[in-house]
Coordinates of all heavy atoms in Angstrom, one line a residue:
A1 N 0.8 -1.2 0.0 CA 0.0 0.0 0.0 C 0.9 1.2 0.0 O 1.9 1.3 0.7 CB -0.9 0.0 1.2
R2 N 0.5 2.2 -0.8 CA 1.3 3.5 -0.8 C 0.9 4.3 0.5 O -0.3 4.5 0.8 CB 0.9 4.3 -2.0 CG 1.8 5.6 -2.1 CD 1.4 6.4 -3.3 NE 1.7 5.8 -4.6 CZ 2.9 5.9 -5.2 NH1 3.8 6.7 -4.8 NH2 3.1 5.3 -6.4
I3 N 1.9 4.7 1.3 CA 1.6 5.4 2.5 C 2.3 6.8 2.4 O 2.2 7.6 3.4 CB 2.1 4.7 3.7 CG1 3.6 4.4 3.7 CG2 1.3 3.4 3.9 CD1 4.1 3.9 5.0
G4 N 2.9 7.1 1.4 CA 3.6 8.4 1.2 C 3.9 8.6 -0.2 O 3.6 7.8 -1.1
G5 N 4.5 9.7 -0.5 CA 4.8 10.0 -1.9 C 5.6 8.9 -2.6 O 5.3 8.5 -3.7
E6 N 6.7 8.5 -1.9 CA 7.5 7.4 -2.5 C 7.6 6.3 -1.5 O 8.5 5.4 -1.6 CB 8.9 8.0 -2.8 CG 9.0 9.1 -3.8 CD 10.4 9.6 -4.0 OE1 11.3 9.3 -3.2 OE2 10.6 10.3 -5.0
E7 N 6.7 6.2 -0.6 CA 6.8 5.1 0.4 C 5.6 4.2 0.3 O 4.5 4.6 0.1 CB 6.8 5.8 1.9 CG 8.1 6.6 2.1 CD 8.0 7.2 3.5 OE1 6.9 7.3 4.1 OE2 9.1 7.6 3.9
F8 N 6.0 2.9 0.5 CA 5.0 1.9 0.5 C 5.1 1.0 1.7 O 6.2 0.9 2.3 CB 5.2 0.9 -0.7 CG 5.0 1.6 -2.1 CD1 6.0 2.3 -2.7 CD2 3.7 1.5 -2.7 CE1 5.7 3.0 -3.9 CE2 3.5 2.1 -3.9 CZ 4.5 2.8 -4.5
A9 N 4.0 0.4 2.1 CA 4.0 -0.5 3.3 C 3.6 -1.9 2.7 O 2.7 -2.0 1.9 CB 3.1 -0.1 4.3
M10 N 4.2 -2.9 3.3 CA 3.8 -4.3 2.9 C 3.6 -5.0 4.2 O 4.5 -5.0 5.1 CB 4.9 -5.0 2.1 CG 4.6 -6.4 1.7 SD 5.8 -7.1 0.5 CE 7.1 -7.4 1.6
L11 N 2.5 -5.6 4.4 CA 2.2 -6.4 5.6 C 2.4 -7.8 5.3 O 2.0 -8.3 4.3 CB 0.7 -6.2 6.0 CG 0.3 -4.7 6.3 CD1 -1.2 -4.7 6.7 CD2 1.2 -4.1 7.4
V12 N 3.1 -8.5 6.2 CA 3.5 -9.9 6.0 C 2.9 -10.6 7.3 O 3.7 -10.7 8.3 CB 5.0 -10.1 5.8 CG1 5.3 -11.6 5.5 CG2 5.5 -9.2 4.8
P13 N 1.7 -11.0 7.3 CA 1.1 -11.6 8.5 C 1.7 -12.9 8.8 O 2.2 -13.7 8.0 CB -0.4 -11.7 8.1 CG -0.4 -11.8 6.6 CD 0.7 -11.0 6.1
N14 N 1.6 -13.2 10.1 CA 2.0 -14.5 10.7 C 3.4 -14.9 10.3 O 3.7 -16.0 10.0 CB 1.0 -15.6 10.2 CG -0.4 -15.3 10.6 OD1 -0.6 -14.9 11.8 ND2 -1.3 -15.5 9.7
T15 N 4.3 -13.9 10.3 CA 5.7 -14.1 9.9 C 6.6 -13.4 11.0 O 6.4 -12.2 11.3 CB 6.0 -13.5 8.6 OG1 5.1 -14.0 7.6 CG2 7.4 -13.8 8.1
F16 N 7.6 -14.1 11.5 CA 8.5 -13.6 12.4 C 9.6 -12.7 11.7 O 9.7 -12.7 10.5 CB 9.2 -14.7 13.2 CG 8.3 -15.4 14.2 CD1 7.7 -16.6 13.9 CD2 7.9 -14.7 15.4 CE1 6.8 -17.2 14.8 CE2 7.0 -15.4 16.3 CZ 6.5 -16.6 16.0
A17 N 10.4 -12.0 12.5 CA 11.3 -11.0 11.9 C 12.3 -11.7 10.9 O 12.5 -11.1 9.9 CB 12.1 -10.4 13.0
D18 N 12.8 -12.9 11.2 CA 13.7 -13.5 10.3 C 13.1 -13.8 8.9 O 13.7 -13.6 7.9 CB 14.4 -14.7 10.9 CG 13.3 -15.8 11.3 OD1 12.1 -15.5 11.4 OD2 13.8 -16.9 11.5
G19 N 11.8 -14.1 8.9 CA 11.1 -14.4 7.7 C 10.9 -13.1 6.9 O 11.0 -13.0 5.7
V20 N 10.5 -12.0 7.6 CA 10.3 -10.7 7.0 C 11.6 -10.2 6.4 O 11.6 -9.6 5.3 CB 9.7 -9.7 8.0 CG1 9.6 -8.3 7.4 CG2 8.4 -10.2 8.5
L21 N 12.7 -10.4 7.0 CA 14.0 -10.0 6.5 C 14.3 -10.7 5.2 O 14.8 -10.1 4.2 CB 15.1 -10.2 7.5 CG 15.1 -9.3 8.7 CD1 16.1 -9.7 9.7 CD2 15.3 -7.8 8.3
I22 N 13.9 -12.0 5.1 CA 14.1 -12.7 3.9 C 13.3 -12.2 2.8 O 13.7 -12.0 1.6 CB 13.8 -14.2 4.1 CG1 14.9 -14.9 5.0 CG2 13.7 -15.0 2.8 CD1 14.6 -16.2 5.5
V23 N 12.0 -11.9 3.1 CA 11.1 -11.3 2.1 C 11.6 -10.0 1.6 O 11.6 -9.7 0.4 CB 9.7 -11.2 2.7 CG1 8.8 -10.4 1.7 CG2 9.1 -12.5 2.9
A24 N 12.1 -9.1 2.5 CA 12.6 -7.8 2.2 C 13.8 -7.9 1.3 O 13.9 -7.2 0.3 CB 12.9 -7.0 3.5
E25 N 14.7 -8.8 1.6 CA 15.9 -9.0 0.8 C 15.6 -9.5 -0.6 O 16.1 -9.1 -1.6 CB 16.9 -9.9 1.4 CG 18.2 -10.1 0.6 CD 19.0 -8.8 0.3 OE1 18.7 -7.8 1.0 OE2 19.9 -8.9 -0.5
R26 N 14.6 -10.4 -0.7 CA 14.2 -10.9 -2.0 C 13.6 -9.8 -2.9 O 13.8 -9.7 -4.1 CB 13.2 -12.0 -1.9 CG 13.8 -13.3 -1.4 CD 12.8 -14.4 -1.3 NE 13.4 -15.7 -0.9 CZ 12.8 -16.7 -0.4 NH1 11.5 -16.7 -0.4 NH2 13.4 -17.8 -0.1
L27 N 12.8 -8.9 -2.2 CA 12.2 -7.8 -2.9 C 13.2 -6.8 -3.4 O 13.2 -6.3 -4.5 CB 11.2 -7.1 -2.0 CG 10.5 -5.9 -2.5 CD1 9.6 -6.2 -3.7 CD2 9.6 -5.3 -1.4
R28 N 14.2 -6.5 -2.5 CA 15.3 -5.6 -2.9 C 16.1 -6.1 -4.1 O 16.3 -5.4 -5.0 CB 16.3 -5.4 -1.7 CG 17.3 -4.3 -1.9 CD 18.3 -4.3 -0.8 NE 19.2 -5.5 -0.9 CZ 20.2 -5.6 -1.7 NH1 20.5 -4.7 -2.6 NH2 20.9 -6.7 -1.7
M29 N 16.4 -7.4 -4.1 CA 17.1 -8.0 -5.2 C 16.3 -8.1 -6.5 O 16.8 -7.9 -7.6 CB 17.6 -9.4 -4.8 CG 18.7 -9.4 -3.8 SD 20.2 -8.4 -4.3 CE 20.7 -9.3 -5.7
A30 N 15.0 -8.3 -6.3 CA 14.1 -8.4 -7.5 C 14.1 -7.0 -8.2 O 14.1 -7.0 -9.5 CB 12.7 -8.8 -7.1
I31 N 14.0 -5.9 -7.4 CA 14.0 -4.6 -8.0 C 15.4 -4.3 -8.7 O 15.5 -3.9 -9.9 CB 13.8 -3.5 -7.0 CG1 12.4 -3.7 -6.4 CG2 14.0 -2.1 -7.6 CD1 11.2 -3.5 -7.4
L32 N 16.5 -4.7 -8.1 CA 17.8 -4.5 -8.6 C 17.9 -5.3 -9.9 O 18.5 -4.9 -10.9 CB 18.9 -4.9 -7.6 CG 20.3 -4.5 -8.0 CD1 20.5 -3.0 -8.2 CD2 21.2 -5.0 -6.8
D33 N 17.4 -6.6 -9.9 CA 17.5 -7.4 -11.1 C 16.8 -6.9 -12.3 O 17.0 -7.4 -13.4 CB 17.1 -8.9 -10.7 CG 18.1 -9.6 -9.8 OD1 19.2 -9.1 -9.7 OD2 17.7 -10.6 -9.2
L34 N 15.8 -6.0 -12.1 CA 15.1 -5.4 -13.2 C 16.0 -4.6 -14.1 O 15.7 -4.3 -15.3 CB 14.0 -4.6 -12.7 CG 12.8 -5.3 -12.1 CD1 11.8 -4.3 -11.5 CD2 12.1 -6.2 -13.1
N35 N 17.2 -4.2 -13.5 CA 18.2 -3.4 -14.3 C 17.6 -2.1 -14.9 O 17.8 -1.8 -16.1 CB 18.9 -4.2 -15.3 CG 19.8 -5.2 -14.7 OD1 20.6 -4.9 -13.8 ND2 19.7 -6.5 -15.1
I36 N 16.8 -1.4 -14.2 CA 16.2 -0.2 -14.7 C 17.2 1.0 -14.5 O 17.7 1.3 -13.4 CB 14.9 0.2 -13.9 CG1 13.9 -0.9 -14.0 CG2 14.3 1.5 -14.4 CD1 12.7 -0.8 -13.1
H37 N 17.6 1.6 -15.6 CA 18.6 2.6 -15.6 C 18.1 3.9 -14.9 O 16.9 4.3 -15.0 CB 18.9 3.0 -17.1 CG 20.0 4.0 -17.2 ND1 21.3 3.7 -17.0 CD2 20.0 5.4 -17.5 CE1 22.0 4.8 -17.1 NE2 21.3 5.8 -17.4
H38 N 19.0 4.4 -14.0 CA 18.7 5.6 -13.2 C 20.0 6.4 -13.1 O 20.8 6.2 -12.2 CB 18.2 5.2 -11.9 CG 17.8 6.4 -11.0 ND1 18.0 7.7 -11.3 CD2 17.1 6.3 -9.8 CE1 17.5 8.4 -10.3 NE2 17.0 7.6 -9.4
E39 N 20.2 7.3 -14.0 CA 21.5 8.1 -14.1 C 21.9 8.8 -12.8 O 23.1 8.8 -12.5 CB 21.4 9.1 -15.3 CG 22.7 9.8 -15.6 CD 23.7 8.8 -16.1 OE1 23.4 7.8 -16.8 OE2 24.9 9.1 -15.9
A40 N 20.9 9.3 -12.1 CA 21.2 10.0 -10.9 C 21.6 9.2 -9.7 O 22.1 9.7 -8.7 CB 20.0 10.9 -10.5
N41 N 21.4 7.9 -9.8 CA 21.7 7.0 -8.7 C 23.2 6.5 -8.8 O 23.4 5.5 -9.5 CB 20.8 5.8 -8.6 CG 21.0 4.9 -7.4 OD1 21.7 5.3 -6.4 ND2 20.3 3.8 -7.3
T42 N 24.1 7.2 -8.2 CA 25.5 6.8 -8.3 C 25.8 5.8 -7.1 O 25.2 5.9 -6.1 CB 26.4 8.0 -8.2 OG1 26.1 8.7 -7.0 CG2 26.2 8.9 -9.4
P43 N 26.7 4.9 -7.3 CA 27.5 4.6 -8.4 C 26.8 3.5 -9.4 O 27.3 3.3 -10.4 CB 28.8 4.0 -7.8 CG 28.3 3.3 -6.6 CD 27.1 4.1 -6.1
L44 N 25.7 2.9 -9.0 CA 25.1 1.8 -9.7 C 24.5 2.3 -11.0 O 24.4 1.5 -12.0 CB 24.1 1.1 -8.9 CG 24.6 0.2 -7.8 CD1 23.5 -0.4 -7.0 CD2 25.6 -0.8 -8.3
R45 N 23.9 3.5 -11.0 CA 23.1 4.0 -12.2 C 21.9 3.1 -12.5 O 21.4 3.0 -13.6 CB 24.0 4.1 -13.4 CG 25.2 4.9 -13.3 CD 24.9 6.4 -13.3 NE 26.1 7.1 -13.4 CZ 26.4 8.2 -12.6 NH1 25.5 8.6 -11.8 NH2 27.5 8.8 -12.7
L46 N 21.4 2.5 -11.4 CA 20.2 1.6 -11.5 C 19.2 2.0 -10.4 O 19.6 2.6 -9.4 CB 20.5 0.2 -11.3 CG 21.4 -0.5 -12.3 CD1 21.8 -1.9 -11.9 CD2 20.8 -0.5 -13.7
V47 N 17.9 1.7 -10.7 CA 16.9 1.9 -9.6 C 17.1 0.9 -8.5 O 17.3 -0.3 -8.8 CB 15.5 1.8 -10.2 CG1 14.4 1.7 -9.1 CG2 15.1 2.9 -11.2
T48 N 17.1 1.4 -7.3 CA 17.3 0.6 -6.1 C 16.2 1.0 -5.1 O 15.5 2.0 -5.3 CB 18.6 0.8 -5.4 OG1 18.8 2.1 -5.0 CG2 19.8 0.4 -6.4
I49 N 16.0 0.2 -4.1 CA 15.0 0.5 -3.0 C 15.7 0.4 -1.7 O 16.7 -0.4 -1.5 CB 13.8 -0.4 -3.1 CG1 14.1 -1.9 -2.9 CG2 13.0 -0.2 -4.4 CD1 12.9 -2.7 -2.7
S50 N 15.2 1.2 -0.8 CA 15.6 1.1 0.6 C 14.4 0.5 1.4 O 13.3 0.9 1.1 CB 16.0 2.5 1.2 OG 17.0 3.0 0.5
I51 N 14.7 -0.4 2.3 CA 13.6 -1.1 3.0 C 13.9 -0.9 4.5 O 15.0 -1.2 5.0 CB 13.6 -2.5 2.6 CG1 13.3 -2.7 1.1 CG2 12.5 -3.3 3.5 CD1 13.4 -4.1 0.6
G52 N 12.8 -0.6 5.2 CA 12.9 -0.6 6.7 C 11.9 -1.6 7.2 O 10.8 -1.7 6.7
V53 N 12.4 -2.5 8.1 CA 11.6 -3.6 8.6 C 11.3 -3.4 10.0 O 12.1 -3.0 10.8 CB 12.4 -4.9 8.4 CG1 11.6 -6.1 9.0 CG2 12.6 -5.2 6.9
A54 N 10.0 -3.7 10.4 CA 9.6 -3.6 11.8 C 8.6 -4.7 11.9 O 7.8 -5.1 11.0 CB 9.0 -2.3 12.1
T55 N 8.5 -5.3 13.1 CA 7.6 -6.4 13.3 C 6.8 -6.2 14.7 O 7.3 -5.5 15.5 CB 8.3 -7.8 13.4 OG1 9.2 -7.8 14.5 CG2 9.0 -8.1 12.1
I56 N 5.7 -6.8 14.7 CA 4.9 -6.7 15.9 C 4.0 -8.0 16.0 O 3.7 -8.5 14.9 CB 4.0 -5.5 15.9 CG1 3.4 -5.3 17.3 CG2 2.9 -5.5 14.9 CD1 2.7 -3.9 17.5
W57 N 3.8 -8.5 17.1 CA 3.0 -9.7 17.3 C 1.9 -9.3 18.3 O 2.0 -9.6 19.5 CB 3.8 -10.9 17.8 CG 3.2 -12.2 17.6 CD1 2.4 -12.9 18.4 CD2 3.2 -12.9 16.4 NE1 2.0 -14.0 17.8 CE2 2.5 -14.1 16.6 CE3 3.8 -12.8 15.1 CZ2 2.3 -15.1 15.6 CZ3 3.6 -13.7 14.1 CH2 2.9 -14.9 14.4
P58 N 0.8 -8.7 17.8 CA -0.2 -8.2 18.7 C -1.2 -9.3 19.2 O -2.2 -8.9 19.8 CB -0.9 -7.2 17.9 CG -0.9 -7.7 16.5 CD 0.5 -8.4 16.4
H59 N -1.0 -10.5 18.9 CA -1.9 -11.6 19.3 C -2.3 -11.5 20.7 O -1.4 -11.5 21.6 CB -1.4 -13.0 19.0 CG -2.3 -14.1 19.3 ND1 -3.4 -14.3 18.5 CD2 -2.3 -15.0 20.3 CE1 -4.0 -15.4 19.0 NE2 -3.4 -15.8 20.1
G60 N -3.6 -11.4 21.0 CA -4.1 -11.3 22.4 C -4.0 -10.0 23.0 O -4.4 -9.8 24.2
A61 N -3.6 -9.0 22.2 CA -3.5 -7.6 22.8 C -4.9 -7.1 22.9 O -5.8 -7.3 22.1 CB -2.7 -6.7 21.8
P62 N -5.2 -6.4 24.0 CA -6.5 -5.8 24.2 C -6.8 -4.8 23.1 O -5.9 -4.1 22.6 CB -6.4 -5.1 25.6 CG -5.2 -5.6 26.2 CD -4.3 -6.1 25.1
T63 N -8.1 -4.7 22.8 CA -8.5 -3.8 21.7 C -8.0 -2.4 21.9 O -7.6 -1.7 20.9 CB -10.0 -3.8 21.5 OG1 -10.4 -5.2 21.4 CG2 -10.5 -3.0 20.4
D64 N -8.0 -1.9 23.1 CA -7.6 -0.5 23.3 C -6.1 -0.3 23.2 O -5.6 0.8 23.1 CB -8.0 0.0 24.7 CG -7.5 -0.8 25.8 OD1 -7.1 -2.0 25.6 OD2 -7.4 -0.3 27.0
E65 N -5.3 -1.4 23.1 CA -3.9 -1.3 22.9 C -3.5 -1.4 21.4 O -2.4 -1.0 21.0 CB -3.2 -2.5 23.6 CG -3.1 -2.3 25.1 CD -2.1 -1.2 25.5 OE1 -0.9 -1.3 25.0 OE2 -2.5 -0.3 26.2
V66 N -4.4 -1.9 20.5 CA -4.0 -2.1 19.1 C -3.6 -0.8 18.4 O -2.6 -0.8 17.7 CB -5.2 -2.8 18.4 CG1 -5.0 -2.9 16.9 CG2 -5.4 -4.2 19.0
D67 N -4.3 0.3 18.6 CA -4.0 1.5 18.0 C -2.6 2.0 18.4 O -1.8 2.4 17.6 CB -5.0 2.6 18.3 CG -6.3 2.5 17.6 OD1 -6.3 1.8 16.6 OD2 -7.3 3.1 18.0
R68 N -2.3 1.9 19.7 CA -0.9 2.2 20.2 C 0.1 1.4 19.6 O 1.2 1.9 19.2 CB -0.9 2.2 21.7 CG 0.4 2.7 22.3 CD 0.4 2.6 23.8 NE 0.3 1.2 24.3 CZ 1.4 0.4 24.3 NH1 2.6 0.8 23.9 NH2 1.3 -0.8 24.8
L69 N -0.1 0.1 19.5 CA 0.8 -0.9 18.9 C 1.0 -0.6 17.4 O 2.2 -0.6 16.9 CB 0.4 -2.3 19.2 CG 0.4 -2.8 20.6 CD1 -0.2 -4.2 20.7 CD2 1.8 -2.8 21.1
T70 N 0.0 -0.3 16.8 CA 0.0 0.0 15.3 C 0.9 1.3 15.1 O 1.7 1.3 14.2 CB -1.4 0.2 14.7 OG1 -2.1 -1.1 14.9 CG2 -1.3 0.5 13.2
S71 N 0.6 2.3 15.9 CA 1.4 3.5 15.8 C 2.9 3.3 16.0 O 3.8 3.8 15.3 CB 0.9 4.5 16.8 OG 1.6 5.7 16.8
R72 N 3.2 2.5 17.1 CA 4.6 2.1 17.3 C 5.2 1.3 16.2 O 6.4 1.5 15.9 CB 4.7 1.3 18.6 CG 4.5 2.2 19.9 CD 4.6 1.4 21.2 NE 5.8 0.6 21.3 CZ 6.0 -0.4 22.1 NH1 5.0 -0.8 22.9 NH2 7.1 -1.0 22.1
L73 N 4.4 0.4 15.6 CA 4.9 -0.3 14.4 C 5.3 0.6 13.3 O 6.4 0.4 12.7 CB 3.9 -1.4 14.0 CG 4.2 -2.2 12.8 CD1 5.4 -3.1 13.0 CD2 3.0 -3.0 12.3
F74 N 4.4 1.5 12.9 CA 4.7 2.4 11.8 C 5.9 3.3 12.1 O 6.7 3.6 11.2 CB 3.5 3.2 11.4 CG 2.6 2.5 10.4 CD1 1.5 1.7 10.9 CD2 2.8 2.6 9.1 CE1 0.7 1.0 10.0 CE2 2.0 1.9 8.2 CZ 1.0 1.1 8.6
S75 N 6.0 3.7 13.3 CA 7.1 4.6 13.7 C 8.4 3.8 13.6 O 9.4 4.3 13.1 CB 6.9 5.1 15.1 OG 8.0 5.9 15.5
A76 N 8.4 2.6 14.1 CA 9.6 1.7 14.0 C 10.0 1.5 12.6 O 11.2 1.5 12.2 CB 9.4 0.4 14.8
A77 N 9.0 1.2 11.7 CA 9.3 0.9 10.3 C 9.9 2.2 9.6 O 10.8 2.1 8.8 CB 8.0 0.4 9.6
D78 N 9.3 3.3 9.9 CA 9.7 4.6 9.4 C 11.2 4.9 9.8 O 12.0 5.3 9.0 CB 8.8 5.7 9.8 CG 8.9 6.9 8.9 OD1 8.9 6.8 7.7 OD2 9.0 8.0 9.5
N79 N 11.5 4.7 11.1 CA 12.8 4.9 11.5 C 13.8 3.9 10.8 O 14.9 4.3 10.5 CB 12.9 4.7 13.0 CG 12.3 5.8 13.8 OD1 12.1 6.9 13.3 ND2 11.8 5.6 15.0
A80 N 13.4 2.7 10.7 CA 14.3 1.7 10.0 C 14.5 2.1 8.6 O 15.6 1.9 8.0 CB 13.7 0.3 10.1
L81 N 13.5 2.6 7.9 CA 13.6 3.0 6.5 C 14.6 4.1 6.4 O 15.5 4.1 5.5 CB 12.2 3.4 6.0 CG 12.2 4.1 4.6 CD1 12.8 3.1 3.5 CD2 10.9 4.5 4.2
Y82 N 14.5 5.1 7.2 CA 15.4 6.3 7.2 C 16.8 5.9 7.5 O 17.8 6.4 7.0 CB 14.9 7.5 8.0 CG 13.8 8.1 7.2 CD1 12.4 7.9 7.4 CD2 14.1 9.0 6.1 CE1 11.4 8.4 6.7 CE2 13.1 9.5 5.3 CZ 11.8 9.3 5.6 OH 10.8 9.8 4.9
R83 N 17.0 4.9 8.4 CA 18.4 4.4 8.7 C 18.9 3.7 7.5 O 20.1 3.9 7.1 CB 18.3 3.4 9.9 CG 18.4 4.0 11.2 CD 18.7 3.1 12.3 NE 17.9 1.9 12.3 CZ 16.7 1.7 12.9 NH1 16.1 2.8 13.5 NH2 16.0 0.6 12.8
A84 N 18.1 2.9 6.8 CA 18.5 2.2 5.5 C 18.9 3.3 4.5 O 19.9 3.1 3.8 CB 17.4 1.3 5.0
K85 N 18.1 4.3 4.3 CA 18.4 5.3 3.3 C 19.7 6.0 3.6 O 20.5 6.3 2.7 CB 17.2 6.4 3.3 CG 16.0 5.9 2.5 CD 15.0 7.0 2.5 CE 13.7 6.6 1.7 NZ 12.8 7.7 1.7
S86 N 19.9 6.3 4.9 CA 21.1 7.1 5.3 C 22.4 6.3 5.2 O 23.5 6.8 5.1 CB 20.9 7.7 6.6 OG 20.9 6.8 7.7
T87 N 22.3 4.9 5.4 CA 23.5 4.1 5.3 C 23.7 3.4 4.0 O 24.7 2.8 3.8 CB 23.4 3.0 6.4 OG1 22.2 2.2 6.2 CG2 23.3 3.6 7.8
G88 N 22.8 3.6 3.1 CA 22.9 3.0 1.7 C 22.7 1.5 1.8 O 23.1 0.8 0.9

C-alpha cells in the first residue's frame, strides 16, 4: 500500500522477523535485477530501493492497545527506513 509520496508498506502476516527480512531482501534483489537505468543513482546507475523492517505480534492484545501498537509499528518501520536510506 502506498503510504507516502515514495513510500509503500507491505504487511506480512504470521511471519517472524527473520522471515520478514528474507522477504525484504528478495524484494530488494528483484528490483535490482530489473536493471532499470537511473542516471542520478550513483554509483550503480540503476533503480534501487531502501527497506525498513519492523515487526509486531499483537496476538491477544486488548483492543484498546491495538492503536498504540500500530502507531509504534509504523514509527519503528519509518525509523528503520530512514536508517536504511542514510546508510545506503
Side-chain angles (χ1 to χ4, degrees):
R2 185 181 294 268
I3 60 170
E6 297 178 347
E7 295 177 342
F8 293 84
M10 183 171 72
L11 302 179
V12 186
N14 302 315
T15 307
F16 290 102
D18 56 346
V20 175
L21 290 172
I22 291 168
V23 171
E25 180 60 13
R26 286 180 181 166
L27 180 60
R28 189 188 69 78
M29 290 303 299
I31 297 297
L32 191 59
D33 288 346
L34 292 172
N35 290 312
I36 300 170
H37 185 72
H38 183 354
E39 189 65 30
N41 187 11
T42 56
L44 290 179
R45 306 283 189 226
L46 296 173
V47 169
T48 61
I49 60 172
S50 298
I51 301 174
V53 172
T55 62
I56 192 169
W57 199 264
H59 182 72
T63 304
D64 60 339
E65 287 288 307
V66 172
D67 285 343
R68 187 180 64 78
L69 292 173
T70 301
S71 178
R72 286 180 52 200
L73 175 64
F74 273 92
S75 179
D78 197 49
N79 289 336
L81 173 61
Y82 283 98
R83 276 195 310 276
K85 285 181 176 183
S86 69
T87 61

